[in-house]
Amino acid sequence: MKNYLIITDSAADINVTLIDKYNIKVIPLLFTLEDKNYELTPKENEGFISEVYSKLREGKVITTSQATPTKFINYFEKFLNERLDIIYLAFSSALSGTYQSACIAKEELKEKYQDRKIIVIDTLCASLGQGLMVIEAAKIKESGASIEEVEDFVINNRLKLVHYFTVDDLMFLKRGGRLSASSAFIGTMVQLKPILHVSNEGKLVPIGKVLGRKNSIKTIVNRIKAQNIDWENKQLFISHGDCFEDIQYVLECLNKENINPKEIIINTIGAVIGAHSGPGTIALFYLGNERG
């Protein structure tokens, strides 16, 4: 069996410990803050993320850009030249053009590296939903699976990856074009909080709205409980927009509803996703039976 690497991008929000444990390669995606461009490695992101959220709370705007085909070509070639096959698990194509750029790069590289496998998959996932899929793929690889078996696993399971989000400040969704200015203003005035998920098409879509922060968290937990998941062998990944106190409330709600996963992984949402979701975002992810 040929050697191969699993590659993802920084939208996956995976922490450094897991990246190192499973030898995952991460392509840094570009964001711009105060006229300065950043392409941070996961380690650099962990050191800078508090500053990012501080700037967002001050009203600074972060813009993001998809990775170009040239960036992918240069990144992939480092490993192809080492005679490694690669499988890239991309941020949802419905939320970014990054996947399309990777596909263009793949087509350009195929002729030059005819003896290598280059697989590019649209995970249709975001944040730690994407991260969870990458980690599950890495576990399959670690067990001895071929690159084709990893590919099959991701394709067969990506629409079982459940994403539930709520945000604290609707204005960030408005900036990203996911909510009208009037809806964002009215919702903010009455403390209306949206419940969102990532659809089968990989889009971030609203599925409900409730009054108050704690009610939004309880609603997400109740939705999880309603799916009757056997948590004994399941992981729950939680990402958040620099709101550690709210994470404690999430854990209390899970415990109250007797939702006891085998493992809970928590990480801060990076700048690429956080620029659009904002401080105070709470997101829960797990492999279920369907996205719901």
Side-chain angles (χ1 to χ4, degrees), residues 58-99:
E58 291 172 7
K60 306 297 183 184
V61 175
I62 295 177
T63 58
T64 58
S65 303
Q66 70 188 60
T68 64
T70 299
K71 181 178 179 67
F72 279 107
I73 289 170
N74 293 336
Y75 195 88
F76 289 168
E77 277 200 301
K78 293 184 296 183
F79 306 115
L80 296 171
N81 284 327
E82 296 174 8
R83 302 193 60 78
L84 292 168
D85 295 335
I86 57 177
I87 179 168
Y88 168 58
L89 307 184
F91 183 26
S92 173
S93 64
L95 299 173
S96 169
T98 296
Y99 166 72

Side-chain angles (χ1 to χ4, degrees), residues 207-218:
I207 54 174
K209 50 191 176 183
V210 297
L211 290 175
R213 175 67 162 175
K214 288 191 173 182
N215 278 339
S216 68
I217 293 172
K218 287 178 182 177

Side-chain angles (χ1 to χ4, degrees), residues 97-111:
T98 296
Y99 166 72
Q100 286 82 1
S101 291
C103 289
I104 293 169
K106 173 186 173 179
E107 291 304 310
E108 291 195 25
L109 290 167
K110 279 198 310 186
E111 287 299 313

